Amino acid sequence: MAQPPPDVGEDDCLPEYRHLFCPDLLRDKVAFITGGGSGIGFRIAEIFMRHGCHTVIASRSLPRVSTAARKLVAATGQRCLPLSLDVRAPPAIMAAVDQALKEFGKINILINCAAGNFLCPASALSFNAFKTVMDIDTLGTFNMSRVLYEKFFRDHGGVIVNITATLGARGQMLQVHAGSAKAAVGTDAMTRHLAVEWGPQNIRVNSLAPGPISGTEGLRRLGGSRASMRENVLASPLQRLGNKTEIAHSVLYLASPLASYVTGALLVVDGGVWLTFPNDVKLLADFASSAKL
Ligand code: NAP
């Protein structure tokens, strides 16, 4: 069985990298990556840059994306523009895209990776908490895609990859907010609608759903107890967590000309976890009793 590529746990660049794809795969392309200052988004930026791409990394915290950009430039020698934006605010997105176009003259790829999540039973979830996750994950993805379409993709073509999740596929407990928000984008609807409507403008739109990925905020916040995660992952087909580089390699494939005939697709990159991961009812009971619900 193939060994996973090496990775590091923190938001740092890889100390060594061996190319599996051609190093020129994204030469002189420009990618706009929301959530590119941390976790999976940071590694996507790094792997893209190691394949000749320039990047714009954007999230709410300017210090976070600025620090990340310095690391990415130092490790890859490519250009990286850090920008502060909230994907819920279309005027801020328009200003950021204008700034990126001024800097690079083009944007070829959009990666919608920004998201917010936490564990909470539906019965205790406030109306506002549900709405916030929908606003960031679902509306944020639409806002970004719509602005990129209008400002560049409509006339020049482009590629969109939406980072989603399989939470809604089996009704993962404590995740009604994120499962609903991601299903609207990746597993059920928005990706396909946009792929169909924008295909004639040479815009490909696909989704990628990671499984449990080591060294991420997502796993730290949502993974539950270490013992139950370990047990469940060991019972899954590839019997291990994934890493950020593995996700970035699959996003690289979808964003590159290797996937030139792929649109409207969902690529699940999870070692088969979604086929076997149990819905642990005890977790819900424990959560409810510790929160006295
Ligand atoms: P992460 O490091 O917390 O990344 C989320 C990013 O989104 C952060 O950089 C955050 O930066 C940004 N963000 C949040 N709200 C935003 C907003 N309103 N506007 C702009 N940016 C915003 O998490 P991750 O675990 O690497 O997850 C990355 C993606 O993979 C997410 O879409 C997640 O749902 C998906 N995923 C992850 C896993 C996993 O195991 N980790 C599994 C399945 C799916 P700021 O705080 O600076 O805004």
Side-chain angles (χ1 to χ4, degrees):
M1 197 185 290
Q3 290 301 309
D7 208 322
V8 292
E10 302 309 315
D11 292 331
D12 287 318
C13 292
L14 302 166
E16 288 178 1
Y17 182 71
R18 186 170 72 86
H19 286 88
L20 299 171
F21 290 119
C22 163
D24 285 345
L25 194 58
L26 295 183
R27 192 162 90 182
D28 292 335
K29 300 278 190 248
V30 178
F32 196 116
I33 304 170
T34 68
S38 67
I40 290 171
F42 177 84
R43 188 69 74 240
I44 294 170
E46 178 186 349
I47 296 299
F48 277 26
M49 291 169 78
R50 288 186 184 278
H51 289 82
C53 196
H54 305 296
T55 58
V56 181
I57 57 171
S59 78
R60 292 165 300 180
S61 163
L62 188 59
R64 168 180 257 181
V65 285
S66 299
T67 303
R70 278 194 293 277
K71 293 179 187 176
L72 291 164
V73 170
T76 68
Q78 296 296 111
R79 290 161 69 199
C80 177
L81 175 67
L83 292 176
S84 167
L85 66 72
D86 189 322
V87 295
R88 293 170 288 186
I93 298 172
M94 289 179 205
V97 171
D98 283 343
Q99 206 178 328
L101 287 171
K102 198 167 160 211
E103 177 81 13
F104 292 109
K106 63 180 181 179
I107 298 169
N108 309 103
I109 299 164
L110 168 64
I111 309 296
N112 284 308
C113 189
N117 201 2
F118 47 85
L119 295 175
C120 189
S123 57
L125 192 63
S126 73
F127 302 115
N128 196 45
F130 186 90
K131 181 177 180 305
T132 298
V133 175
M134 294 296 289
D135 281 349
I136 298 173
D137 295 19
T138 310
L139 277 69
T141 297
F142 178 74
N143 296 340
M144 285 300 312
S145 305
R146 171 80 168 71
V147 171
L148 254 302
Y149 176 83
E150 192 173 309
K151 289 193 178 282
F152 201 77
F153 288 177
R154 177 175 52 202
D155 297 328
H156 303 89
V159 184
I160 301 175
V161 181
N162 296 322
I163 306 302
T164 179
T166 57
L167 300 166
R170 288 186 304 125
Q172 195 69 37
M173 64 179 52
L174 310 176
Q175 288 282 265
V176 65
H177 42 301
S180 303
K182 294 291 200 181
V185 174
T187 41
D188 282 334
M190 196 186 303
T191 294
R192 288 185 209 141
H193 284 284
L194 298 183
V196 169
E197 288 200 17
W198 294 350
Q201 277 84 48
N202 198 24
I203 301 166
R204 296 190 297 106
V205 189
N206 291 295
S207 296
L208 183 145
I213 303 304
S214 61
T216 65
E217 186 61 23
L219 190 71
R220 282 187 283 274
R221 278 196 193 199
L222 312 172
S225 81
R226 275 188 170 204
S228 77
M229 174 55 75
R230 192 179 138 75
E231 196 177 309
N232 292 332
V233 165
L234 280 176
S236 71
L238 296 189
Q239 305 177 350
R240 63 174 177 83
L241 297 173
N243 73 36
K244 292 173 285 190
T245 302
E246 293 181 291
I247 299 303
H249 281 160
S250 293
V251 179
L252 175 64
Y253 159 72
L254 284 176
S256 80
L258 287 166
S260 53
Y261 202 47
V262 181
T263 198
L266 166 67
L267 182 58
V268 179
V269 184
D270 76 339
V273 164
W274 76 325
L275 301 173
T276 58
F277 208 78
N279 243 334
D280 182 352
V281 183
K282 190 170 169 300
L283 188 67
L284 180 60
D286 289 352
F287 197 98
S289 70
S290 69
K292 298 202 171 32
L293 301 172

